[in-house]
Amino acid sequence: MTELLQIKAITKRFGGLVAVNDVSFDVREQEILSVIGPNGAGKSTLFKLICSFLNPTSGEVLFRGERISGLAPHVVARKGVVRTFQETTIFKSMTVRDNVITAHHLRSSATLAGFYLGTQAARRDEQEFGRSADEILDVLGLGGQRNEIASTLPHGHLRALGIAIGLATNPSILLLDEPFAGMNHDETVKAVQMVRGVRERGVTVLLVEHDMRAVMDISDRIVVLNFGQKIAEGVPKEIQENDKVIEAYLGVEDETIGY
Ligand SMILES: Nc1ncnc2c1ncn2[C@@H]1O[C@H](COP(=O)(O)OP(=O)(O)OP(=O)(O)O)[C@@H](O)[C@H]1O
Ligand SMILES: [Mg+2]
């Protein structure tokens, strides 16, 4: 398997606090890799470093062998390293389908102005984007909601729409930070299916998640952070049996590694 992403000795300091401390690991093409760890372990900071929303204090991230650290986040997104969009970036007054169509313009060959002026390229894009949007919505189980106004969607569907918007930008790797947070069991089961669907489209998935059952179920490999440092890396079974990991999770009431 090829390494899509290489995280090399990355460190991020906030003043005196070392949020991410000399972390290295690779992400392979088309795998689902989860990053877990107790609250404050540095998971979200690591994601921000990978997407270049933050600059590392030291170390670097390579995407397909090319350094992406230090590039503007939108440049990194265009290269195919995409973080899912927060609910706040969803256009609440637009339909589900139009939200996903609009997101396609991030990778459009026609300009946004062209889209509105109806140039030939824009018309071609529009048709293609419509088809692609429908396909993505079906993969994510949102086909039945395509014509609903986003503001009327329940929480779980909004989350799925955020992922749909991310997918519409045609990423090579999609980073999902706690996509199952606040979901009940049934919603989580559906969302896990959804993430599998994303991978089946050929997209590599990097996941931060506290729901251990979901993590163990879905991940090919897991990286464990504690106090900013990587303490373990391996397949789910190895992680569940790892003494350092068990110790890191001891005494943490709502996060149990075993189930
Ligand atoms: N912009 C910032 N400025 C200062 N400190 C920060 C900043 N962002 C994060 N931190 C600190 O860095 C540490 C790691 O935070 P981070 O959000 O990455 O943890 P996390 O693993 O995502 O936690 P959680 O599971 O609670 O989401 C925490 O101590 C946090 O308070
Ligand atoms: Mg976090």
Side-chain angles (χ1 to χ4, degrees), residues 39-45 48 177-178 208 210:
N39 289 115
K43 307 178 294 295
S44 295
T45 303
K48 287 173 196 161
D177 196 344
E178 302 198 34
V208 165
H210 283 291

Side-chain angles (χ1 to χ4, degrees), residues 30 32 139 193-205:
Q30 281 209 46
I32 298 178
V139 168
Q193 273 313 110
M194 201 165 76
V195 173
R196 287 215 177 91
V198 169
R199 188 253 294 275
E200 274 154 30
R201 285 174 67 89
V203 179
T204 303
V205 178

